[in-house]
Amino acid sequence: FQKIKIKWWTKTNLLSGAKHLETQFEVGEYVNSNCIFCFGNIPPRTNFSQCQVITYFQNAHLIRSIDKAPYSLKNRFRYFLLAKAIRNRLKKTNSWVFQTEYIKSEFCNFHQCDGKNKLVFPFFKPPLVSPSNASPERLNAFIYVSSSPPHKNHLRLLKAWQILKNQIAEPPELILTVPFSHKVLCEKIQRLQSKGVPIRNVGNIDHQSIFNLLKSVGLLTSNYLKIR
């Protein structure tokens, strides 16, 4: 990821007009900017040949192959329009930035584009957890560190643990970090717990507590489950 001198940032979305961006770009020219960052998943409407445009994509809701949750008609239509805007503006950005290789790959497949000028640049480097620096206390336990949006597939994971409970004498424990504010999902977890399904939800905890849990368990689950 080449270092670029940046004087200002901008954000765009489906409703942002070219006039607004052109006004900001005039300010950018005044301070001799040479790069525009778009943090709203969608490139600008206007081509800016005078500088480099970098678009940061992080919304998995806009990739149907990942997020197949049964959204309302209003939200499905909204996501459809946003995805269409991205496809129409693919060539109006010089580079795309993603947090993971998986999102990058699914984005390229969904929009039928190659991996050229597609960069993976996470917000932070997660702590390394490997057999060399961790001694798991509970080998028969999984942990899934994630918030609770539908595309995180918690319902699929809970269904999988129901199946394990019925098919395995001693199923592994599942540890979740679902915020307690998500009442519907937390109530679902409590109902499964009452049936003896080995699930423990620790809620939204701090980074150090998560790291301690990662070191204490023997297995991790993937962020995105492909259960057919």
Side-chain angles (χ1 to χ4, degrees):
F1 191 50
Q2 184 180 3
K3 292 183 178 180
I4 304 172
K5 185 178 181 182
I6 302 168
K7 292 294 185 178
W8 55 278
W9 296 351
T10 185
K11 178 179 179 180
T12 183
N13 55 45
L14 184 63
L15 301 179
S16 62
K19 182 177 180 180
H20 174 64
L21 287 174
E22 286 171 354
T23 302
Q24 291 194 7
F25 185 65
E26 289 173 1
V27 176
E29 286 185 323
Y30 180 76
V31 296
N32 195 29
S33 294
N34 58 5
C35 180
I36 295 178
F37 267 102
C38 296
F39 286 99
N41 303 291
I42 304 175
R45 292 181 179 179
T46 302
N47 286 316
F48 293 105
S49 59
Q50 302 93 328
C51 66
Q52 184 175 9
V53 178
I54 301 175
T55 303
Y56 184 79
F57 182 89
Q58 51 80 33
N59 194 341
H61 295 301
L62 305 181
I63 303 178
R64 191 61 180 165
S65 60
I66 295 177
D67 190 357
K68 298 181 180 179
Y71 293 107
S72 66
L73 180 61
K74 177 182 177 181
N75 281 334
R76 289 204 305 271
F77 183 64
R78 175 171 171 264
Y79 294 147
F80 169 78
L81 290 179
L82 290 170
K84 185 175 179 60
I86 291 174
R87 185 162 296 183
N88 290 339
R89 303 181 193 180
L90 283 174
K91 296 182 179 180
K92 293 186 178 181
T93 184
N94 300 98
S95 303
W96 291 89
V97 178
F98 307 88
Q99 283 202 65
T100 67
E101 286 287 349
Y102 177 71
I103 294 293
K104 170 188 169 182
S105 175
E106 291 298 313
F107 178 93
C108 293
N109 291 335
F110 184 72
H111 291 290
Q112 299 179 346
C113 57
D114 57 33
K116 185 178 180 180
N117 297 323
K118 309 291 192 307
L119 310 173
V120 176
F121 195 70
F123 279 145
F124 64 92
K125 183 178 181 180
L128 179 62
V129 180
S130 67
S132 62
N133 63 7
S135 299
E137 301 170 2
R138 298 188 298 279
L139 292 175
N140 196 31
F142 285 81
I143 183 171
Y144 181 43
V145 180
S146 174
S147 54
S148 55
H151 68 275
K152 298 297 183 178
N153 289 312
H154 282 90
L155 292 179
R156 289 183 176 182
L157 194 58
L158 295 179
K159 183 177 181 180
W161 246 254
Q162 284 182 276
I163 296 173
L164 287 175
K165 173 65 169 60
N166 296 329
Q167 296 185 355
I168 301 177
E170 295 183 4
E173 180 186 25
L174 174 62
I175 303 173
L176 301 174
T177 60
V178 175
F180 295 126
S181 58
H182 197 302
K183 295 184 179 180
V184 174
L185 193 54
C186 287
E187 289 174 359
K188 173 73 172 178
I189 293 171
Q190 291 172 359
R191 287 195 297 270
L192 293 177
Q193 289 172 333
S194 67
K195 296 178 181 179
V197 181
I199 301 174
R200 179 160 61 97
N201 182 33
V202 298
N204 188 14
I205 57 179
D206 60 72
H207 184 269
Q208 185 59 47
S209 297
I210 289 176
F211 185 45
N212 292 337
L213 279 173
L214 290 173
K215 291 192 296 183
S216 70
V217 301
L219 301 163
L220 309 177
T221 64
S222 170
N223 282 344
Y224 296 98
L225 303 174
K226 289 189 173 181
I227 301 177
R228 302 301 182 189

